[in-house]
Amino acid sequence: MTTAMNPNDAVRKQILQYFYERNHNGTSTYGKKGSALKISDAKRELKARYGLNQPSVISNLTYLLDREWVKKHEIQKTVFVNGGTIPATTTWYRISAAGIDKIEGGSEFEPKDRFEGIKLTATGTNVITLGDGNVVNAQFSELREHLDDLKSLLTAAKLDEKQKFEVVVDIESMKDQLAKECPDKTILQRLWQGIEHVTKLAGLVEATSKVWPYIKPFL
């Protein structure tokens, strides 16, 4: 796949490995020896270990966050100052369960394959099994990749949480149809109309144009 040739993948692996080791060796949740740490500490230690500059750390960490290999957690507290108090927020970063599974190769505690018990090779459909346990018909794999990219952009966009939730559900429903040899065009048309509406609200018209050549045959 083209992602294997992405030059950023080497940096992403370094960052994920770093967070994995923090979690593996941590003696507490937060703090100097904690599994979670602040972005300033991560940038400093990644530079010392791998020579990564700040833009490289931030851009690739953003990708890992969007893909949910790494989790972000905020803690709010009140700071006392002369004359009163002010709110303060500290953001912590740590590897997620998905990130740990990525490095360790999975666990019996992972959610079961949604298609467990079905012999996919006997369905007569040329499908690809993905890392998340889902499948996609081989002829629609590029469309699914573009839908994943669009989902990442939408979840990071300036939309309210309800809009994000509903558009993600629509995208996932569309991806489910792509496991079939003959996806239901009526369903895909309806789902795409909703997705396209939300992407316009988010100002991501250019992003939908990248998906359009692949979804057009269904419309």
Side-chain angles (χ1 to χ4, degrees), residues 33-219:
K33 297 294 184 180
S35 58
L37 71 161
K38 300 174 184 177
I39 188 63
S40 56
D41 295 326
K43 289 189 292 187
R44 183 183 66 252
E45 294 183 14
L46 284 166
K47 181 178 181 180
R49 179 178 298 192
Y50 300 116
L52 301 180
N53 58 35
Q54 291 191 26
S56 182
V57 171
I58 294 300
S59 62
N60 287 290
L61 180 57
T62 297
Y63 179 89
L64 294 174
L65 286 165
D66 285 345
R67 292 297 190 190
E68 298 185 351
W69 301 120
V70 175
K71 291 285 188 179
K72 181 170 66 173
H73 176 60
E74 294 183 345
I75 296 180
Q76 296 183 345
K77 60 181 180 180
T78 300
V79 178
F80 293 90
V81 297
N82 293 334
T85 61
I86 57 173
T89 301
T90 303
T91 303
W92 300 87
Y93 298 82
R94 63 171 177 82
I95 193 170
S96 67
I100 293 173
D101 289 337
K102 174 72 172 176
I103 291 178
E104 294 183 347
S107 165
E108 65 176 288
F109 294 95
E110 289 183 80
K112 290 186 176 181
D113 186 341
R114 65 193 300 190
F115 296 103
E116 185 176 3
I118 301 175
K119 295 181 180 179
L120 295 174
T121 55
T123 62
T125 301
N126 184 17
V127 298
I128 299 172
T129 303
L130 305 172
D132 56 7
N134 292 313
V135 299
V136 61
N137 191 296
Q139 63 180 317
F140 306 131
S141 60
E142 286 188 284
L143 172 55
R144 185 188 169 103
E145 288 179 16
H146 283 288
L147 288 172
D148 279 335
D149 291 339
L150 181 60
K151 183 176 76 170
S152 295
L153 291 172
L154 286 166
T155 54
K158 292 182 178 179
L159 296 166
D160 64 47
E161 296 307 310
K162 181 180 179 181
Q163 288 174 319
K164 289 182 181 181
F165 175 79
E166 291 182 349
V167 76
V168 165
V169 170
D170 284 348
I171 290 174
E172 291 299 322
S173 297
M174 180 173 282
K175 286 159 58 180
D176 285 341
Q177 284 291 320
L178 299 180
K180 299 179 180 181
E181 185 175 2
C182 298
D184 189 316
K185 291 190 175 184
T186 301
I187 294 176
L188 290 177
Q189 289 172 353
R190 176 175 54 80
L191 292 170
W192 180 248
Q193 288 175 354
I195 294 168
E196 192 173 35
H197 174 69
V198 176
T199 55
K200 288 180 180 178
L201 293 177
L204 296 172
V205 176
E206 184 177 350
T208 57
S209 67
K210 294 181 179 179
V211 186
W212 176 248
Y214 300 93
I215 193 65
K216 184 179 179 179
F218 300 103
L219 307 180

